Amino acid sequence: MRVRVAGLYRHPKSRMWWFRMVVPERYRAAAGKREWKYSLETSDESEARLRHAEKLAEIRRYMAGLDVQEAASVGDRADEIVARGMTALARSNIVHQASIGLNFDMARGLDNVTYAILKVLSFRVRLGWGGKHAAAAQRQRFSAIDPDAEDDTPEFAPDLPPEAGSAFQTLDHRKLASAQIEAFEGQPSYQGAAFREVARGLLAARDWKAAAFEAQLVAHAAGMTLITRGALFDAIVERVLRHLAEHRFMHWPEDADLVLNPMATAMGSYLTEQSTPAPEAGDAPDRSLRALYAQWRAKHNLAEDEALKSADEWLLAVRRFEDLIGTKPVPSITAKDVRTYRDLCANLPSRVKKSIKALPAREQIKIAAAQKLPKLSPPSVGKHVAAIKALLSVAKEYEWVPVNVAEGITVEGARHTGTERDHFNDREMALIYNSRLMTDPDACSDTMFWILFLAPFHGSRPGEHCQLKPHEIVQEEGDWIMRFRADRHAQQNEDGTPQARRRLKTLQSQRDVPLHWIVLEGGFLDFVAVQQARRAPWLFDDLKPAKYGNRYTYLSRTINDELRRLGITDTDKAFYSTRHSMKREGRRRRIPDRNLDQAAGHAPATSGQRYGQGVPIDILKEDMDRLEFPSVNWDAVVHCARARVARYRDRMGVTGLRL
């Protein structure tokens, strides 16, 4: 018995129900079989029908995924055909020019071929409009062949009505296109510009039929015969039109945009009206990346004005994707689109002026190449790609797409390895901690002093110290500890304004870290007592939060500037290097790595180390107290710390308090 459609089948011996379905022929190569046959693992018919429906839905999603992959492969093939065809036509043009004594390079040959195709396309399109448009097209064609020929072009019938789905639906759009062709194509400096707007109109309307001849010409040059129907035909026409619409001719002057942009803007007003009709009841839902991003924000209850770094990074990635690749429905995005986006992002300039940042992304890339500006680093490009990949995962979850086409696309050099920062050696530790910053009470702010003091002994991220609150310095089983926690609920400042919610970098970042004995000797608990008596909202309450609530951002710049002044100029060393220094000193003291990891908030190396909720505080305290960094004169630092605490207590009017 052959099952033509998905059906239930009961095994005669086991009495268990089975799912059976013939694999459609177009999917057999990928599936590797002619029939899907699965046991539903139940003898109950009602339960079997439920499981059958689930299995059928799963197989349909699988087939839809194969369709998406096939569409992506069609796009890749179309790219290759159009590139090969245009190159072949350009080489043929170069050979022809050489036969008459002209020496052209590939760029000039591509210019000539593109202009010729645009001219033919424009002539054919205007001929189809009838009336004066067709007559003008004929006249222009004959004058190009023989400038002295008499104007004997035949009279044409009145303007022909547009076909359904074609471009240039309105008479005003046609008149503007014809007027621009008459105005610009007779000027050698701007030839091709107005013809290009015709290709842009066809591309916006997705009027593939109008450019079938040009697509066949390019495909023939690539060595294939193109059938004027099907997905491959549509993909090739789209890419030919896109090349024609976006090509920039070498003979245009450098300031051509000053002349051409108004023309493109005028034409674009008609494209917008035509391509975005007023929504009607029953229209398909918005499936753009921007709409997907909005749904993701809504799902996570993020208000429109709520600043969240990851959300803003995602939005920037979406904007740049639409700028570089185009505003495509999510189901139409291919793996090649994501790879192209990745490669283009790698050429974007980094840390540029606002005037450059305001330009379209492709213009920024041109400026970066011309001015040799620094490009985005691999980690920055990786963030852009990761944002698109994550959004496409959301699209898969929402069942907008059956597969995430960005899976497996990586950026070389983007992954954090833990070796990007180096540790401070003994000489550098002495340079920092024996300097005026740590021995002169007037050399820097109290907050900067304490952040510098805490860093090497605890291995914490400097930003974690900056977001501590006074009540998070507590005593547990006789040992004083810092409790690093995230905010579970939204908090408010004293004036009632919303406070940025504290977040932790990883799950292991939530931890308790014992205070080092040298820090305690410096009177740190007395400083905490003053802050508690003042009811300060933060342990270091003079820090100003940056855009996303990070209280360390501005202080980080100040500290690193001071390190540079001290002579620490290696690019792989910054104040964050104190975390590496703690690990290095700990290994020198033979402290177990699992204890160092727990203090620093790093993930345990093995599954077994995750059991038991880490090392007990008293054991961790004994180990951390062994960190001493022998090149530093800590007595001078402790003396400075006590002087600062005494001065701060007097300034705040708080006396006689100790924890």
Side-chain angles (χ1 to χ4, degrees), residues 575-606:
F575 184 49
Y576 199 87
S577 298
T578 53
R579 277 169 62 80
H580 297 260
S581 301
M582 183 275 272
K583 285 287 192 82
R584 183 85 168 192
E585 179 69 10
R587 290 168 185 143
R588 181 157 61 182
R589 303 286 177 174
R590 302 188 184 281
I591 298 173
D593 272 342
R594 65 178 180 274
N595 298 12
L596 297 173
D597 287 340
Q598 182 174 326
H602 287 149
T606 66

Side-chain angles (χ1 to χ4, degrees), residues 68-82:
V68 169
Q69 293 176 12
E70 181 182 1
S73 65
V74 166
D76 291 345
R77 187 181 176 199
D79 286 333
E80 189 270 332
I81 290 171
V82 172

Side-chain angles (χ1 to χ4, degrees), residues 15-48:
R15 310 303 295 170
M16 302 292 281
W17 289 98
W18 285 63
F19 173 95
R20 294 184 66 181
M21 178 180 174
V22 170
V23 179
E25 188 171 353
R26 66 181 182 278
Y27 302 126
R28 288 177 184 172
K33 58 183 71 176
R34 297 179 60 87
E35 180 185 1
W36 284 303
K37 186 176 179 181
Y38 304 99
S39 172
L40 298 175
E41 299 181 352
T42 182
S43 59
D44 181 83
E45 184 174 356
S46 298
E47 179 66 21

Side-chain angles (χ1 to χ4, degrees), residues 514-546:
L515 283 163
H516 195 277
W517 72 270
I518 294 179
V519 173
L520 295 176
E521 283 288 311
F524 181 68
L525 294 181
D526 293 335
F527 170 76
V528 174
V530 174
Q531 296 298 75
Q532 290 181 354
R534 293 179 53 234
R535 296 186 178 180
W538 302 94
L539 186 58
F540 304 107
D541 58 335
D542 58 335
L543 293 173
K544 302 299 181 184

Side-chain angles (χ1 to χ4, degrees), residues 133 162 167-176 270 273-274:
H133 303 294
F168 303 92
Q169 292 279 322
T170 66
L171 294 179
D172 286 344
H173 195 185
R174 292 178 174 183
K175 288 179 181 178
L176 181 59
Y270 290 97
E273 292 173 7
Q274 180 175 319

Side-chain angles (χ1 to χ4, degrees), residues 266-451:
M267 293 290 286
S269 64
Y270 290 97
L271 301 184
T272 302
E273 292 173 7
Q274 180 175 319
S275 59
T276 55
E280 300 178 359
D283 276 2
D286 188 354
R287 287 290 186 258
S288 66
L289 267 177
R290 196 75 63 99
L292 181 62
Y293 171 79
Q295 287 201 23
W296 174 82
R297 283 192 71 104
K299 180 180 178 182
H300 289 78
N301 298 318
L302 296 176
E304 287 296 325
D305 58 348
E306 184 174 352
L308 182 65
K309 186 175 182 181
S310 59
D312 285 359
E313 287 176 347
W314 282 27
L315 181 57
L316 175 62
V318 168
R319 287 172 175 167
R320 283 181 166 170
F321 188 92
E322 291 178 345
D323 199 1
L324 292 168
I325 306 301
T327 306
K328 303 179 70 173
V330 171
S332 300
I333 294 174
T334 66
K336 183 175 180 60
D337 290 332
V338 181
R339 288 193 295 270
T340 302
Y341 172 68
R342 173 197 63 190
D343 297 341
L344 290 173
C345 281
N347 292 310
L348 282 167
S350 172
R351 300 181 183 274
V352 294
K353 298 177 181 178
K354 291 184 178 179
S355 58
I356 297 178
K357 189 179 293 186
L359 296 173
R362 290 182 182 271
E363 291 300 318
Q364 294 184 40
I365 291 173
K366 292 178 182 177
I367 291 174
Q371 299 182 10
K372 297 182 179 179
L373 300 176
K375 308 292 180 60
L376 288 185
S377 65
S380 296
V381 177
K383 285 184 178 181
H384 281 58
V385 174
I388 300 301
K389 189 183 298 186
L391 277 172
L392 292 179
S393 292
V394 175
K396 183 180 177 183
E397 178 184 347
Y398 291 167
E399 297 187 351
W400 287 20
V401 293
V403 295
N404 183 349
V405 296
E407 287 295 338
I409 296 177
T410 59
V411 177
E412 186 175 355
R415 188 173 181 179
H416 176 70
T417 64
T419 61
E420 289 79 9
R421 294 287 181 203
D422 197 2
H423 69 286
F424 292 131
N425 58 38
D426 290 344
R427 183 190 66 81
E428 290 163 335
M429 286 294 293
L431 198 61
I432 299 169
Y433 288 93
N434 293 336
S435 71
R436 286 186 63 251
L437 289 175
M438 303 304 294
T439 58
D440 182 352
D442 298 318
C444 64
S445 69
D446 288 343
T447 290
M448 181 170 167
F449 173 85
W450 285 115
I451 296 300

